[in-house]
Amino acid sequence: MIDVSELVRPDEGLINPSIYTDPEVYELELERIFARSWLFLAHDSQLPKAGSFVQAYMAEDPVLVVRQRDGSVKAFLNQCRHRGMRICRTDEGVARAFTCSYHGWGYNLAGELVNVPMRERAYHNEIDPAEWGPRPVPRLHHHRGFYFGTWDEEAPPFDAYLGDMAWYFDAMADRYDEGLTLVPGATKWVIDCNWKFAAEQFCSDMYHVPFSHASAFTALVDDPGVVARMTEAQLTQPGRQFSGNGHGSGFGLRPDIVPHQVGPEFDAWLTANRERIHGRLGEQRARNVHGHNTVFPNFSWLDINNTMRVWHPRGPGQMEVWAWTYVPKGAPEEAVREIRQATIRTFSPAGVFETDDGENWTEIQQVLRGHMARRTLLNARMGLGHEKHGTDGMPGQVTDDMYSEMAARGMYRRWADLMSGLTWQQIAELDRSRQREEEVRTP
Ligand code: FES
Ligand SMILES: [Fe+2]
């Protein structure tokens, strides 16, 4: 039996590193975190027409997300009910139906079993196809072009689940009049580390940037003085961090939304569209909410680098990253090319920042092979007791520095709530009482 209070103590900023290595913890995560949370499945631009489909994962469970003839979207477990083969083995495409490649059971776009070969001879007509369709994802939600799904009928509605994070999410998803589009295809690769290192870093960690990425800044910019200047800017720039419902966002307060440092064409496009962007989001939000983000548990994005990704768990010591580059719909081709190139250089399997991050995570995972290392508590106390509320009219719990681990503690708090087996209703009550306590503490 797992005692979750032995694993993380968010209020004291303590992490037992066995949460990154213990197979029993991992199994429980699949059940209590991933089978109960809202998970990112697909973006509208991946499903342009009836029959468009894309593979996704909900943790280790493969699912197929399909645009229906009526324009709606359905998702179902990509598992044939005959012997469990993947119903569709293609990453994405357009289909009229799906046929299992093992014995040929056939499914329609809605995931209903519609054809069983040799139904009379082999099954004596005794099989009822209505009973043997793949398991549907029972709840889907469409938020500003993004489809999320959950297996859990008891999970709060998506809007309540997202909570105040919606304001930060929409600063990305709702930034441009025409919306976003994903550059076709996902980049997928494996990193030998626990998924929480990545989810937590994107949720909460600006602190590593001036140190871990100092060499990346040198590689990117052909100017010997740049590291000192960039590091100086990183160290002195004011910023904010948001935490709520396990989600997190952090950003430096920016003098303006341009220059974006992606390239001259994209900068020019942003400048030309500045009024419209400010009009949609409000000037402060458009300028500032532009940093690192995680929607609990494993969907993250970086506004500055136009990358979004899911950290699919693959056992305690491994994850599979699925990353997409997103661009404003309707941006000129040359601007899109610049964004793609900048994303490849920074956040892709060989990107200069990505490899810095992966190096840290795999190294920690290696250290945690040690018997003693796995039993030695880690410090997540940055800013503990100094959290502020409602800084600058930003919604939710916002602290007045981007160098904080408030959001990491928030993520582990939600993780612990779910891992303890509390119902969503109990968690909601707990959240309310926490908020009351917090209001008493910081009026
Ligand atoms: S496993 Fe799919 S038809 Fe047999
Ligand atoms: Fe990083």
Side-chain angles (χ1 to χ4, degrees):
M1 203 39 207
I2 284 175
D3 178 358
V4 175
S5 68
E6 287 292 309
L7 296 179
V8 289
R9 277 183 263 147
D11 297 337
E12 297 167 59
L14 292 175
I15 299 170
N16 179 330
S18 69
I19 66 168
Y20 306 117
T21 60
D22 185 345
E24 228 185 305
V25 168
Y26 180 74
E27 279 306 314
L28 208 61
E29 283 181 334
L30 294 185
E31 176 190 333
R32 293 188 174 169
I33 306 283
F34 290 101
R36 297 172 67 198
S37 297
W38 284 96
L39 305 176
F40 171 72
L41 293 182
H43 185 261
D44 256 331
S45 58
Q46 294 175 287
L47 303 166
K49 57 181 178 185
S52 294
F53 68 87
V54 63
Q55 297 233 28
Y57 270 98
M58 298 173 76
E60 302 251 25
D61 285 310
V63 297
L64 205 53
V65 189
V66 189
R67 178 80 67 189
Q68 304 297 300
R69 292 188 212 289
D70 67 0
S72 68
V73 165
K74 285 194 192 329
F76 49 87
L77 198 59
N78 193 3
Q79 178 198 34
C80 177
R81 294 286 298 283
H82 178 227
R83 275 304 178 286
M85 180 61 179
R86 216 180 275 268
I87 292 169
C88 173
R89 299 171 67 189
T90 311
D91 287 348
E92 57 186 280
V94 184
R96 271 188 294 200
F98 302 101
T99 304
C100 178
S101 60
Y102 197 172
H103 311 90
W105 282 20
Y107 301 86
N108 66 15
L109 294 180
E112 293 158 341
L113 178 62
V114 289
N115 184 40
V116 176
M118 292 191 275
R119 188 166 156 186
E120 253 184 64
R121 175 172 171 183
Y123 288 92
H124 308 279
N125 249 341
E126 287 166 359
I127 185 166
D128 177 6
E131 276 179 37
W132 294 104
R135 181 190 283 269
V137 179
R139 298 172 69 194
L140 288 191
H141 186 86
H142 183 238
H143 179 90
R144 303 214 187 278
F146 291 73
Y147 288 92
F148 286 81
T150 179
W151 300 110
D152 188 358
E153 301 279 9
E154 309 293 319
F158 181 79
D159 291 334
Y161 178 90
L162 197 58
D164 290 319
M165 184 67 188
W167 194 80
Y168 303 87
F169 188 116
D170 292 351
M172 175 268 290
D174 197 32
R175 195 171 198 86
Y176 309 110
D177 285 354
E178 290 83 10
L180 298 175
T181 184
L182 303 191
V183 171
T187 308
K188 302 173 182 178
W189 72 102
V190 167
I191 301 182
D192 288 328
C193 73
N194 187 272
W195 67 274
K196 292 187 291 300
F197 289 128
E200 187 219 293
Q201 192 201 277
F202 278 61
C203 177
S204 180
D205 190 343
M206 194 71 88
Y207 190 51
H208 77 288
V209 175
F211 299 94
S212 275
H213 298 312
S215 60
F217 290 131
T218 327
L220 271 184
V221 189
D222 187 19
D223 171 355
V226 75
V227 178
R229 284 206 309 282
M230 289 260 211
T231 307
E232 179 67 15
Q234 289 283 350
L235 293 172
T236 54
Q237 188 184 22
R240 301 284 182 264
Q241 187 181 84
F242 159 82
S243 171
N245 293 8
H247 320 304
S249 178
F251 39 86
L253 300 182
R254 292 152 59 88
D256 206 335
I257 57 167
V258 285
H260 200 267
Q261 290 167 344
V262 164
E265 294 295 328
F266 186 45
D267 280 353
W269 186 86
L270 280 177
T271 306
N273 285 276
R274 178 166 23 185
E275 293 310 312
R276 295 206 295 165
I277 296 168
H278 284 181
R280 293 185 75 77
L281 300 177
E283 191 180 332
Q284 293 298 340
R285 186 175 167 212
R287 270 165 43 171
N288 295 321
V289 184
H290 210 66
H292 61 75
N293 307 267
T294 292
V295 166
F296 185 87
N298 64 337
F299 177 57
S300 302
W301 69 94
L302 296 174
D303 299 280
I304 292 175
N305 306 92
N306 298 282
T307 178
M308 62 174 71
R309 63 267 309 282
V310 180
W311 319 104
H312 294 300
R314 294 291 180 262
Q318 196 174 73
M319 66 176 178
E320 196 173 312
V321 189
W322 284 26
W324 297 269
T325 301
Y326 61 92
V327 299
K329 210 189 258 176
E333 212 177 298
E334 194 48 33
V336 170
R337 200 190 58 78
E338 283 176 0
I339 296 171
R340 290 181 60 181
Q341 199 170 56
T343 307
I344 290 168
R345 283 183 180 149
T346 54
F347 283 91
S348 70
V352 289
F353 293 99
E354 191 91 57
T355 45
D356 291 338
D357 290 333
E359 182 75 12
N360 288 322
W361 303 331
T362 52
E363 190 69 21
I364 302 167
Q365 199 73 38
Q366 288 293 317
V367 171
L368 295 182
R369 294 171 70 94
H371 176 80
M372 299 312 287
R374 256 181 281 153
R375 282 160 184 75
T376 304
L377 292 182
L378 303 180
N379 179 318
R381 289 187 164 164
M382 195 190 306
L384 183 63
H386 300 276
E387 294 92 341
K388 299 279 188 306
H389 274 291
T391 308
D392 300 335
M394 295 173 184
Q397 192 178 17
V398 181
T399 199
D400 65 348
D401 203 337
M402 59 187 176
Y403 298 123
S404 170
E405 282 164 349
M406 177 182 77
R409 290 187 289 275
M411 177 182 135
Y412 288 117
R413 193 172 290 117
R414 178 58 85 246
W415 183 88
D417 292 345
L418 287 163
M419 288 289 276
S420 309
L422 297 176
T423 65
W424 277 110
Q425 204 178 343
Q426 287 168 326
I427 292 172
E429 280 159 25
L430 244 182
D431 278 347
R432 280 193 289 276
S433 72
R434 282 171 184 149
Q435 203 175 341
R436 280 195 298 274
E437 275 171 34
E438 200 53 48
E439 277 158 15
V440 171
R441 240 201 328 262
T442 51

